[in-house]
Amino acid sequence: MELDLIWILIGLPLAFGLGWLASRLDLRQLRIDNRQAPRAYFKGLNFLLNEQQDKAIDAFIEAVQNDPDTSELHFALGNLFRRRGEYERAVRVHEHLLSRGDLSTADRQRAQNALAKDYVKAGLLDRAEDALKKLEGTSFEGQARLARLAIYERSREWPQAREVAEQLELSGEVSFSVRKAHYLCEQARELNAQGDAAGAAKLLETAMTEAPDAPRPRLLLGQLQLNMGLAVQACETLGQLFDKGSVAAPLASSSLVRAALSAQRVPQTLQLLQTHYAQSPCIDVMDAIVALEKANHASDEQARQRYIEHLQKQPSLLAASRWLAGADLGNETTRAPVQKALEQASRPLARYRCAACGFEAKEHFWHCPGCQAWDSYPPRRVEEL
C-alpha cells in the first residue's frame, strides 16, 4: 500500500512535467510554423509589388506547402498563374480548392468564379460556359451572365445571347434593347444568306418594334426590300432614317439612291437628301445628291459645283478628288497623275474607325472585329471625324 502511494506521488509530478514539456514543444513548433508561413507570404507580396512574378510564385508555393489549408494563398497563387498565362496550373489550383470539403460557401463561389475566368482566358469556352452557369443564384451571378453574354457573342450564338440579355434586364441591369436588336439583325443576315428573305424581314420588323430608335434594323430592312424588288417600300423604310435625322442616315445614302431610281421617286428623294444635307453636311449624302441630280439630267458641271459647295462648308480631300475627276484642266497628262495622287492620299480618309480601339476598315461595322464593342463605329468617314 505504501509502495503504491509512493509511485502515485512520483508519477503525478512526472506526468505533469511531461505534459508541460509536450505543450512547450507544440507551442514552439506552432510559433515556427506561424513565422515561416507569413514570412513566405509577405515575401511573395514583396516580389509581386516589385513585378517579379516568377519569384512571387515560388514564394507563394512555399507558403502553400507550409500551410496547405490556407485558401487565400491558393487564390493568390491561382490569380498569379492566370496573369502569367499559365492557365492549366491556375485551373489545377482552383479545382483543388473546389475539391476541399471544409471550404466555406463564399470561398467555394469565389473559387468557381476564378475557375470560370481561367477557362475564359484559356479559350475553353464550353467549359467556361458550364462553370459560369454554376454561379447562378450567387453573388457572382451578374458578372457570370455578362461573361456568358460575351462568350455567346464571340461564338455568334445569338438566340442564347438574347436570352442572357433578357435575364440581365430583369435583374435590374441597364437596358439591352439595342443590343437585342443587333442580335436579331445578325440572325436576319444569316437567314437571308440561307435564302430565307421572308424570315429575315420578320426578324428585322421585330427588332424595329423592340428598339424603334435603333437605325440598323431599318437600314437592313430597307436593303432587304430593295433586293427583293420592293423598291417603293425600300424608299419609305430608308427614307425614315433621313426624316428622323438619324446619325446613321449617311450609311443608307447609296441604297436610297438605288431604291429611288427603281421606284422612280427621284424628285421626292432628292428633296429629302437635300434637307438632311443642309442640317448635317456629309460626303456620302452629297454623293447621293449628285447621283440623283445626274439621273435628273443635271450636267457634269452642275455636279462638280456641288463638290465645290461642300468644300466651302468643310475641307475634304474626298470632295476635292471627286471635283477633279470631272475637271477640264486642258491637259490630260497633267490632270491624270494629280488625280491619282489625290485619290491615293484620300483613300485612308474614306475608311471608318472604331472609337473604342481605333481599328479602321473600308466598311462600317456595327460590331467591332477588333475589340468586340457594339456601335463603336461612327457612321462617318475618318476624314469627317
Side-chain angles (χ1 to χ4, degrees):
M1 188 68 178
E2 291 180 0
L3 186 61
D4 293 340
L5 183 60
I6 291 173
W7 279 110
I8 291 173
L9 291 175
I10 295 174
L12 283 175
L14 183 61
F16 176 79
L18 291 173
W20 179 83
L21 182 61
S23 66
R24 295 299 297 174
L25 290 173
D26 289 343
L27 286 173
R28 182 182 177 187
Q29 184 62 38
L30 182 61
R31 289 194 190 100
I32 292 173
D33 292 343
N34 287 339
R35 282 198 299 269
Q36 288 177 346
R39 186 182 300 119
Y41 181 69
F42 289 121
K43 188 193 300 182
L45 285 179
N46 184 53
F47 286 135
L48 190 60
L49 290 173
N50 290 324
E51 297 184 357
Q52 296 175 281
Q53 294 189 6
D54 290 332
K55 293 182 178 180
I57 286 176
D58 293 337
F60 282 132
I61 289 176
E62 179 186 347
V64 169
Q65 289 172 345
N66 291 330
D67 190 2
D69 295 330
T70 304
S71 59
E72 287 299 328
L73 294 178
H74 284 77
F75 282 121
L77 190 58
N79 290 337
L80 270 177
F81 283 142
R82 189 192 313 124
R83 286 176 58 184
R84 283 174 52 85
E86 300 182 51
Y87 305 123
E88 185 177 348
R89 300 178 75 180
V91 166
R92 286 205 302 268
V93 170
H94 295 129
E95 284 182 339
H96 171 70
L97 278 172
L98 289 171
S99 67
R100 285 173 47 179
D102 62 337
L103 205 63
S104 66
T105 301
D107 280 346
R108 187 170 297 278
Q109 294 173 1
R110 184 180 170 192
Q112 184 67 41
N113 184 53
L115 181 62
K117 290 181 179 179
D118 297 338
Y119 286 141
V120 170
K121 288 291 186 179
L124 303 173
L125 301 186
D126 290 340
R127 292 187 182 183
E129 180 185 355
D130 292 338
L132 290 167
K133 285 181 178 179
K134 293 178 181 179
L135 292 170
E136 288 291 321
T138 70
S139 58
F140 296 97
E141 181 180 72
Q143 298 178 31
R145 286 177 176 174
L146 287 172
R148 284 172 59 203
L149 188 67
I151 288 174
Y152 293 139
E153 290 180 354
R154 185 174 170 182
S155 56
R156 302 185 66 81
E157 299 178 67
W158 307 118
Q160 292 88 333
R162 182 176 170 83
E163 180 182 351
V164 173
E166 289 174 348
Q167 292 175 351
L168 286 167
E169 279 188 325
L170 292 175
S171 64
E173 299 288 341
V174 298
S175 173
F176 282 83
S177 59
V178 175
R179 186 80 69 88
K180 290 191 297 182
H182 278 304
Y183 299 154
L184 290 175
C185 289
E186 294 291 344
Q187 289 178 262
R189 289 183 61 189
E190 292 175 357
L191 283 180
N192 187 44
Q194 296 168 7
D196 187 3
K202 187 176 181 180
L203 287 177
L204 293 172
E205 289 170 357
T206 302
M208 287 169 55
T209 302
E210 293 184 358
D213 294 331
R216 188 186 184 189
R218 196 174 303 278
L219 174 60
L220 290 182
L221 181 59
Q223 292 173 341
L224 182 62
Q225 290 170 338
L226 180 59
N227 293 334
M228 294 170 66
L230 306 174
V232 174
Q233 292 91 323
C235 273
E236 294 174 355
T237 302
L238 297 172
Q240 290 176 8
L241 291 171
F242 293 87
D243 283 332
K244 295 180 178 181
S246 172
V247 294
L251 299 175
S253 298
S254 60
S255 297
L256 183 58
V257 169
R258 290 169 51 210
L261 293 173
S262 298
Q264 297 183 352
R265 299 181 64 173
V266 172
Q268 306 95 308
T269 305
L270 187 56
Q271 179 62 40
L272 181 66
L273 289 170
Q274 290 171 341
T275 301
H276 185 276
Y277 180 85
Q279 298 171 351
S280 180
C282 173
I283 188 63
D284 288 319
V285 178
M286 176 53 72
D287 286 340
I289 291 173
V290 170
L292 288 181
E293 285 183 339
K294 284 186 175 181
N296 209 24
H297 309 297
S299 66
D300 290 340
E301 185 60 30
Q302 289 173 319
R304 292 179 59 251
Q305 184 61 32
R306 284 293 191 183
Y307 290 115
I308 293 296
E309 294 172 3
H310 184 77
L311 286 169
Q312 291 172 345
K313 289 183 173 61
Q314 57 186 35
S316 169
L317 279 178
L318 294 172
S321 177
R322 286 159 174 71
W323 173 84
L324 185 62
D328 183 11
L329 301 181
N331 189 343
E332 180 63 23
T333 58
T334 302
R335 186 186 64 82
V338 173
Q339 183 181 352
K340 183 178 179 180
L342 192 57
E343 288 177 352
Q344 185 173 354
S346 63
R347 192 174 297 124
L349 301 177
R351 298 174 181 170
Y352 297 95
R353 179 189 296 154
C354 175
C357 70
F359 186 89
E360 292 187 3
K362 292 181 180 179
E363 61 178 298
H364 179 274
F365 285 104
W366 299 95
H367 190 205
C368 178
C371 64
Q372 305 298 306
W374 289 96
D375 294 317
S376 59
Y377 275 81
R380 287 178 174 266
R381 311 285 178 171
V382 170
E383 183 185 59
E384 298 177 316
L385 297 179

